[in-house]
Structure formats: structure tokens, C-alpha cells
Amino acid sequence: MLCRGLVGFFGFKHDRKLALRALALSAAKDDVHSVFAGLVLMTYHGVVLLLSGYQANEEKLLKEYKDIVDRIEARYPAGALWILNRAKIMRMSYDAENAIRVLQDGLKPGRPHSFAQADMLLIFELAWTLLGQRRYQEAADTFMKITEINSWSHGTYYFIAAGCYIALGQQDKAQGMLDAIPDLIDKKKLSGKDLPTEVFIKKKLAFYKEKHTRRGGDGVKWVEVVKINPAEEIAICKTLHNFSDTTFL
């Protein structure tokens, strides 16, 4: 609704159905424009499926989404973006295990790696999918790998990984990661301010420490009082954030 209002404000007419038909026509061709049209359509279908929860046309949308990926992947089989979208289709089709397999295959050393940012998208998707499948050790390892190739909020990834170790019963490992978070947040700030997730994490850490002290703890191993898994909390926040973003598309 917001986008439609902005388009109207600037004096342009909007017709979503016509735009989708035009994109579908362009995506069916073999020129460079078809690739970009396919990307836009993949994004659109992915957003609709993510936003809707229950979608009466889910099967139709998934088929259209898959057809676009198939066409473009046939031309660029090593492209990370097509691997990413194929995995997303599988995840949206409730086939998370095969989505994980596709992502892991796409990250194998023998595959051509065009640019690091594309691989980062694969790793990010893999980490969340592993977490969703409760494969905690693999999820923790993958989130920590993100910190090696991405500079965004290492504290957030440490917090998620700590949650994975809590789920695995490795409290000492989790405590060490939680203890490292304040310094990580202070080192990396956007425009001198904490990111929203970091504000949330700092409040949670303060809450854990206060709760531990209130219960007579020594203020050292306060991971013992964590009852709601931090990784699950961040996953819920991520889902709500995605939902709030897509409602304006």
C-alpha cells in the first residue's frame, strides 16, 4: 500500500498484474534483461509466500517460482543466486533437509565462486535453515563462519551461537560466547549507535545477570538462569522483522 501511494503521489500509474505479466514475458527470453526480470519475479514470489502464511495459491506460486529458477539456472548453473532460490523453494515446500543439501553443495570448494557476497547469502540461509531444523552444532558453526566473512554485528551471531550451545547442554561454551558479546558490540557500531538487535541483546544480557544475582549467584556463570533459548528468540525477532518489512511491498 505504501509503495502504491508513493507511485501515485509522483503522478505515475500502477498496475501490478500488468507489471507481473511484463516481467514474466521478459524472463522467458534469453537476453540479459531476462535475468533481472527473473530476479524481480523470484523476489516477488518469495515475499508473497513469506508474507501470507496460508496461501491458497501456494502450489501455483511455487511452481511459477520454480519454473523461473529452472530457466535461469539452466543458463547459469553455477550461479549462487539460483542455488539460493532453489533452496528457498525447497524450504517453502517443507523440504528443509534437501534445502540444506542444496546450500551445502553450493558452498563446496570445487564449485566456482564468483563473489563473496553471493556465498554469504548461501551461508546465511544455511545457518537459519539448520537452526530451524534444530541441528544446533552445525547451526552454531555456520553462524560463527559468518563472522569470518561479514562485518555486520558479530555480537548478534555470537548470541545465536550461544543459544545453540545452550540447547546442546554446553553451558561453559555458551557462557564464554555470551561474555564476549559486550566487547564485540562496542567495537562495531553503525553511526556510533547500537543496532536494534544489539540493543535487544544488551538488555537480555543485563536481565540474565540481574536474575542470576537475585537468585544468589556469583555473577559469573549466569548462563544457568537462561530459560528461553537466545537463538530461538532472535529467530522470532527475525521472522517478525521480515513480516513488518514485507507488509509494505
Side-chain angles (χ1 to χ4, degrees), residues 57-89:
N57 287 327
E58 180 177 301
E59 186 176 350
K60 176 177 178 290
L61 287 174
L62 281 171
K63 183 180 183 304
E64 291 176 356
Y65 193 175
K66 184 177 182 298
D67 287 344
I68 296 166
V69 174
D70 287 343
R71 284 200 303 270
I72 300 178
E73 190 177 39
R75 295 168 58 192
Y76 307 100
L81 291 177
W82 327 132
I83 295 171
L84 172 67
N85 279 279
R86 184 167 297 286
K88 284 186 174 183
I89 291 170

Side-chain angles (χ1 to χ4, degrees), residues 171-180 220-224:
Q171 288 196 342
D172 290 340
K173 179 74 171 178
Q175 184 66 64
M177 304 196 81
L178 292 171
D179 287 337
V220 177
K221 197 174 181 181
W222 39 268
V223 70
E224 297 170 337

Side-chain angles (χ1 to χ4, degrees), residues 132-221:
Q133 292 302 104
R134 305 299 189 267
R135 291 166 61 168
Y136 291 114
Q137 184 62 63
E138 293 171 274
D141 293 341
T142 308
F143 277 113
M144 293 309 296
K145 184 175 179 61
I146 292 175
T147 65
E148 299 172 9
I149 58 177
N150 188 292
S151 61
W152 185 89
S153 188
H154 288 184
T156 300
Y157 297 126
Y158 268 67
F159 191 70
I160 299 170
C164 292
Y165 284 114
I166 290 172
L168 291 167
Q170 299 181 30
Q171 288 196 342
D172 290 340
K173 179 74 171 178
Q175 184 66 64
M177 304 196 81
L178 292 171
D179 287 337
I181 290 173
D183 286 342
L184 291 170
I185 291 177
D186 289 339
K187 285 179 182 177
K188 190 72 177 179
K189 289 190 177 183
L190 184 65
S191 302
K193 297 181 180 179
D194 293 330
L195 296 167
T197 52
E198 293 174 341
V199 172
F200 171 78
I201 289 169
K202 288 172 77 172
K203 289 181 178 179
K204 293 298 296 187
L205 296 181
F207 169 74
Y208 297 148
K209 293 176 183 178
E210 189 277 331
K211 181 179 179 181
H212 191 240
T213 302
R214 189 173 69 247
R215 293 189 173 186
D218 57 7
V220 177
K221 197 174 181 181

